[in-house]
Amino acid sequence: MKKLFSLALMLAATAAAPAHASLKVFACEPEWASLLQELAGDKIAVDVGTSALQDVHQIEAKPSLIAKVRRADLVVCTGADLEVGWLPQLLRQAANPKVMSGTGNFMAANAITTLEKPTKLDRAAGDVHPQGNPHFQMDPYRMLAIAKALSARLAQLDAANTAVYQQRLGDFSTRWSSAIKRWEVKAAPLRGSKIIVQHASWIYLEHWLGLERIGALEPKPGVPPTSGHLASLIGVAKSGKTLAIVRAAYQDPKSSQWLSERTGVPAVVLPLTVGGDAQSKDLFGLFDSTIDKLLSAAK
């Protein structure tokens, strides 16, 4: 009787326990981990490869990351060669055939059209991405297109939960579209504002909000700022009503602070991805924080 009672308790506990996640997913960047949670909830378990305080162009393929990729059913990354310095090595060393290519390999760039595709490739131009600028997470419309493609991929891999993925996509799309309208109304005063950026991370945000980039702290993409180049930007910053000198949370503040001190233009740190500041706890917070910080600079 004791054995039967113990067995009954075990069965009851099993029945009461939450269902295991259907899919294990490796997300290269925090924005994709956040989007995956919106689209799948507890149907997936997500490992994130990087944080908002790291330069995702330069990541070390550590054993801990290799282990995460090795157990994944799906890899979700930006693509457009953003992770070209480390993702191929991760995939090769993980030797996981499910995510090397095909259904288990999702590159967000393939779901949208990128900006700033070079007409010719020349390493003298700096860190140029042949497939276009990969920082499209700052365009909410492109993010919605990616959400639809990613939801379809989840359903393809986990057909048993297709209805869940469809329902969650519908809910996210409704809330996201409503948020876009709210953001655009709130950010209307920013249209036409001039900014200086540290790295060319903001082209999609610029296009969406109507910002005008008048200079960059990096003389060429990926090339560290030099004293001579920074000095040349003093006149540029003072020539008009420059809103802000913008850098991402992971970037060294010295150059932007130097220029700010000499021009009076505020140096503004934007999150760039989920986790970039206290407000950016998810994708919605990412855009809320970005717009709030730009508006604060305008006061």
Side-chain angles (χ1 to χ4, degrees), residues 3 46 67 69 82-83 91 101 110 113 131 160 172 174 190 231 296:
K3 288 183 178 180
V46 182
V69 173
L82 178 64
E83 306 96 351
L91 292 171
S101 61
N110 295 335
T113 301
Q131 297 180 51
F172 172 75
T174 298
L190 296 172
S296 292

Side-chain angles (χ1 to χ4, degrees), residues 140 175-190 208-209 283-289 291 295:
R175 291 184 292 112
W176 193 250
S177 297
S178 177
I180 289 175
K181 293 178 183 177
R182 173 171 55 82
W183 291 326
E184 290 177 341
V185 170
K186 189 174 184 179
L190 296 172
W208 176 45
L209 297 183
L283 288 172
F284 292 89
L286 169 63
F287 283 88
D288 284 332
S289 175
I291 292 171
L295 287 170

Side-chain angles (χ1 to χ4, degrees), residues 29-95:
E29 290 85 26
E31 59 264 31
W32 309 128
S34 184
L35 182 59
L36 282 159
Q37 289 295 345
E38 293 282 355
L39 298 176
D42 63 2
K43 298 303 177 186
I44 61 172
V46 182
D47 284 318
V48 191
T50 61
S51 78
L53 301 182
Q54 291 178 292
D55 181 353
V56 295
H57 298 85
Q58 301 175 9
I59 299 296
E60 184 182 349
K62 295 181 178 179
S64 58
L65 294 183
I66 294 169
K68 290 176 181 179
V69 173
R70 185 172 291 135
R71 61 176 174 257
D73 301 301
L74 172 66
V75 163
V76 177
C77 300
T78 297
D81 287 337
L82 178 64
E83 306 96 351
V84 69
W86 52 279
L87 181 58
Q89 185 180 353
L90 274 187
L91 292 171
R92 183 171 60 254
Q93 294 193 28

Side-chain angles (χ1 to χ4, degrees), residues 108-115 117 131-133 136 139 142 145 204:
N110 295 335
I112 51 102
T113 301
T114 57
L115 299 175
K117 279 190 178 182
Q131 297 180 51
N133 191 304
F136 43 77
D139 178 352
R142 282 178 168 85
Y204 297 94

